[in-house]
Amino acid sequence: MTIKDFMTSKHRECDHLLTQAEDFLESGEFDEALGKYAAFKNETLLHFTMEEEYLFPMLEEKSGMGSMGPTNVMRMEHAQAKSLFEKMDEAYNAKDKERAFSLGESMNILLQQHNLKEEQMLYTMMNTALAENAEEIVQKLQDYEH
Amino acid sequence: MFHGLSLEQAPPYTVPIKFYLSGAFYLILLSIAIIIYGFSVSSRFDYEVIALTHLLTLGFITHVMFGSLFQMLPVMLGTPYANVVKNATIIHIALNAGILTFVVGFFTNTALLLYFAGTLLMGTFFYFALLSFKTILLSQEKNTLVQNFAASFAGLFFAALFGFLALLGHFGFVDTLRYGNIHIAFMLFGWVFLLIVSVSYKIIPMFFVAKEFPMFVQKRLYPVQLALLLLFAYAQLQEKTLLLSVTQLLLCTSVILFALLSILILQKRKRARKDVSIELWYFAMGNAILAALLYAGANVNLSFAIGFFALFGAVYALINAMLYKIIPFLTWFHLSSNMVFDAEMGNVIPKKKMSIQINLYYLSYFFFLCTALSPAFIIVSATLFLFSSLMLLLNIFKAKKYYTEYMKKKVVFE
């Protein structure tokens, strides 16, 4: 499995958790919605940690692009998502369905366009620049989950 | 290794918004022009009808498409447009000068204005198409999506060329009908259809968390469509009747298959919640299928009905749907990129105001159908569309105002 395959599969898992949370929200099952939302938030934040603490610094060093290149834009978008999580926490805890959906839509589009850039460019770059240690890197990424 | 790659390619917020506001403004002009001229037209070839059609196609559709491409293409390609603010301003000014002189030229039948407009518009389209091609060439990505976009720009290039030739025909230089038909085919089946297709490949999975379109469709549809369009042009110019009918039928088949496929994918989307955009999408696809069926079985010369279903029922509805997805997100995204985190996408344009505007559009569409019973309904339809267009303009203004107000908060905060 390549770095790109692994990280892309994690994107899809997060997408799935958010849609599950929204399905429960739609049917008024707030406790289940809150549970799935919490799982979505945890998975997404863990994904950001994998990138910010491990993958991005490695890519920056290998490619010589430094920390002010594309990875910096990705970090900024992570900050945007984190700010949305604060509002989504409020909406889910208050069982405010309309606000939760509205914020969920922002989160969804933000993450989808963010993921698109990562999958089309950044992960492709990682597959090239970090090819020698790909297996070891994927193993380390899997360890993050345990 | 990755020299020149930047993920910070989005142009300033004002670039796409300026195009969207201009687009909505032309819808208002269109409604007023229909109220004035609606009764007096009888055929697609009336100069008034040509002017009215282009208020929609050049005034609204082109503005929104150009504005959206300035925003979307760099994000998808990883390469920014060169000098985006300057180039967008040049294109915006030239496009508006071209549209206004074109429309006035046709309403007043003034040859000089039409020559000027035709030259300016062709130059503007060529410039935009070349600028976009250049962006594509500089991109490290040469994937299927990029190829689809390139194909739609090729459609735009040929559409503009044949449009200019058709315009010359109005003064007796060439056969307007033949060049006009090729212009319409390249514009609708090439530029507009392929651009919608290209955007859909990304937008539908992204906005609605739906499945990707099958890869063979993404890879095969655009070359087939371009090849069919070239065959159509050849058959039209050489008067090969059978070939013309076959290509016409196949072009329509592509549209129908794509429309059905997009409906199927949307119905199986993971993000199940319905909103106004999804309803508009279904409505647009229904109209696209209807227009394609009518065109497939019709004489090559487009009738009023086909033009109405294709442009007003399908393309307009689709763009309206996408505007209500794109503008709130863009507004929120640009604010939060500027570290303004108080804004919420749901508050950019109130949902109720979007619904009222779209319902006015649906009503206008319904009363336009009623013109089959009595031409008087055209006034009701155009008046309703005038209100719908005013609301659309106000809704876009509201988004811009929201952005400006929150950006001021940023200054206060600092």
Side-chain angles (χ1 to χ4, degrees):
Chain A
M1 187 185 274
T2 65
I3 300 170
K4 183 176 177 174
D5 290 341
F6 179 79
M7 295 303 276
T8 302
S9 73
K10 291 286 139 193
H11 284 165
R12 299 292 98 81
E13 278 177 31
C14 293
D15 292 347
H16 187 57
L17 287 168
L18 180 59
T19 54
Q20 280 183 314
E22 291 193 332
D23 284 344
F24 283 123
L25 205 59
E26 180 77 349
S27 57
E29 294 165 87
F30 291 107
D31 290 341
E32 288 81 355
L34 191 59
K36 287 292 175 191
Y37 165 69
F40 162 69
K41 184 181 166 183
N42 290 339
E43 276 295 314
T44 308
L45 292 177
L46 179 69
H47 189 84
F48 291 170
T49 306
M50 288 178 192
E51 293 178 336
E52 291 183 14
E53 289 182 359
Y54 184 53
L55 289 174
F56 290 174
M58 211 162 23
L59 180 69
E60 286 157 3
E61 196 191 324
K62 267 276 186 191
S63 66
M65 67 169 64
S67 60
M68 294 311 289
T71 46
N72 188 45
V73 181
M74 295 296 97
R75 284 192 182 92
M76 280 184 61
E77 290 186 0
H78 290 173
Q80 286 174 281
K82 284 173 188 168
S83 80
L84 268 178
F85 274 130
E86 286 175 25
K87 290 171 190 285
M88 286 179 83
D89 286 349
E90 290 169 12
Y92 271 86
N93 287 322
K95 299 181 180 175
D96 185 342
K97 195 170 159 178
E98 282 310 309
R99 189 164 177 235
F101 270 120
S102 168
L103 292 165
E105 180 150 21
S106 310
M107 179 64 88
N108 177 55
I109 304 176
L110 173 70
L111 289 181
Q112 294 295 329
Q113 62 86 37
H114 175 81
N115 296 349
L116 176 75
K117 290 188 275 196
E118 289 188 337
E119 288 164 23
Q120 285 200 341
M121 286 167 258
L122 224 52
Y123 296 161
T124 309
M125 288 161 67
M126 285 176 189
N127 272 358
T128 312
L130 310 173
E132 283 175 20
N133 311 97
E135 211 170 301
E136 186 190 324
I137 292 169
V138 172
Q139 183 58 51
K140 180 90 188 276
L141 291 169
Q142 283 167 339
D143 291 344
Y144 265 86
E145 298 192 308
H146 305 298
Chain B
M1 189 191 310
F2 305 110
H3 179 70
L5 179 68
S6 160
L7 293 182
E8 208 166 17
Q9 318 87 346
Y13 179 73
T14 47
V15 170
I17 286 294
K18 188 166 62 179
F19 279 85
Y20 297 158
L21 284 169
S22 306
F25 168 75
Y26 280 102
L27 291 180
I28 294 168
L29 284 189
L30 170 66
S31 315
I32 295 169
I34 295 175
I35 292 170
I36 297 169
Y37 295 101
F39 267 128
S40 57
V41 296
S42 55
S43 126
R44 158 199 156 189
F45 303 105
D46 288 347
Y47 276 17
E48 290 84 358
V49 175
I50 296 173
L52 293 172
T53 308
H54 285 85
L55 275 173
L56 180 63
T57 55
L58 294 173
F60 179 68
I61 297 172
T62 305
H63 264 106
V64 177
M65 285 181 158
F66 279 14
S68 301
L69 281 168
F70 275 125
Q71 176 68 37
M72 280 182 67
L73 202 63
V75 174
M76 291 186 177
L77 299 181
T79 318
Y81 271 102
N83 301 317
V84 65
V85 176
K86 190 178 147 199
N87 276 320
T89 307
I90 292 170
I91 286 170
H92 188 244
I93 292 169
L95 184 62
N96 279 283
I99 296 167
L100 289 172
T101 43
F102 183 90
V103 170
V104 173
F106 267 109
F107 276 136
T108 59
N109 193 11
T110 311
L112 194 65
L113 281 181
L114 288 175
Y115 284 135
F116 175 76
T119 310
L120 193 58
L121 285 170
M122 189 174 68
T124 308
F125 283 146
F126 280 5
Y127 187 58
F128 183 78
L130 289 174
L131 201 64
S132 304
F133 266 129
K134 189 183 157 198
T135 312
I136 287 173
L137 285 176
L138 288 175
S139 168
Q140 305 209 353
E141 286 291 327
K142 297 285 185 291
N143 59 22
T144 315
L145 184 67
V146 174
Q147 293 160 21
N148 273 279
F149 274 111
S152 75
F153 294 127
L156 173 65
F157 190 86
F158 283 113
L161 179 67
F162 283 105
F164 184 70
L165 290 171
L167 191 65
L168 291 179
H170 285 285
F171 307 104
F173 295 117
V174 291
D175 179 356
T176 294
L177 184 60
R178 277 193 278 173
Y179 285 100
N181 283 339
I182 300 172
H183 161 68
I184 293 169
F186 268 102
M187 195 55 90
L188 280 178
F189 293 106
W191 162 237
V192 175
F193 177 64
L194 287 177
L195 187 61
I196 288 172
V197 162
S198 311
V199 172
S200 304
Y201 290 155
K202 275 299 151 202
I203 289 283
I204 290 184
M206 190 187 287
F207 283 178
F208 305 107
V209 195
K211 273 191 178 172
E212 297 268 344
F213 281 75
M215 200 36 86
F216 79 90
V217 175
Q218 296 193 34
K219 281 187 175 169
R220 301 283 175 254
L221 181 58
Y222 79 84
V224 167
Q225 199 73 356
L226 281 185
L228 285 173
L229 281 167
L230 290 173
L231 274 178
F232 180 92
Y234 168 77
Q236 181 77 77
L237 291 173
Q238 299 297 317
E239 296 183 29
K240 309 273 185 198
T241 321
L242 180 64
L243 183 62
L244 197 61
S245 302
V246 173
T247 49
Q248 198 179 326
L249 186 69
L250 291 172
L251 284 167
C252 292
T253 309
S254 299
V255 173
I256 293 168
L257 289 178
F258 172 79
L260 290 173
L261 187 59
S262 77
I263 291 171
L264 196 71
I265 289 176
L266 269 178
Q267 280 185 333
K268 289 185 175 173
R269 70 191 182 280
K270 283 187 185 164
R271 201 163 194 270
R273 194 166 214 230
K274 261 199 166 185
D275 62 20
V276 288
S277 301
I278 291 178
E279 284 158 11
L280 267 175
W281 191 288
Y282 289 151
F283 182 79
M285 289 301 115
N287 274 279
I289 292 169
L290 194 55
L293 285 173
L294 287 173
Y295 185 55
N299 178 285
V300 73
N301 299 326
L302 281 169
S303 70
F304 261 147
I306 298 169
F308 169 77
F309 289 124
L311 292 175
F312 191 66
V315 182
Y316 172 80
L318 207 61
I319 291 179
N320 202 154
M322 286 301 100
L323 280 177
Y324 282 155
K325 280 280 175 200
I326 293 168
I327 293 175
F329 176 72
L330 269 189
T331 308
W332 172 81
F333 185 76
H334 277 271
L335 283 169
S336 58
S337 298
N338 280 288
M339 312 307 277
V340 179
F341 293 122
D342 289 346
E344 285 188 25
M345 191 172 137
N347 300 335
V348 174
I349 305 174
K351 276 204 160 52
K352 200 175 169 188
K353 292 197 171 169
M354 292 190 211
S355 292
I356 294 172
Q357 185 267 312
I358 289 166
N359 285 331
L360 282 168
Y361 159 69
Y362 284 139
L363 272 176
S364 161
Y365 175 95
F366 171 75
F367 279 106
F368 197 94
L369 293 182
C370 294
T371 54
L373 304 172
S374 161
F377 282 113
I378 191 79
I379 302 298
V380 184
S381 171
T383 307
L384 285 164
F385 194 60
L386 175 62
F387 286 119
S388 164
S389 306
L390 275 168
M391 272 207 80
L392 180 65
L393 183 72
L394 289 175
N395 284 346
I396 303 172
F397 258 124
K398 192 165 169 41
K400 188 174 180 296
K401 199 175 155 211
Y402 187 89
Y403 174 81
T404 312
E405 281 173 2
Y406 271 88
M407 281 302 279
K408 277 183 198 158
K409 285 184 188 175
K410 181 199 174 193
V411 175
V412 171
F413 176 73
E414 282 175 347

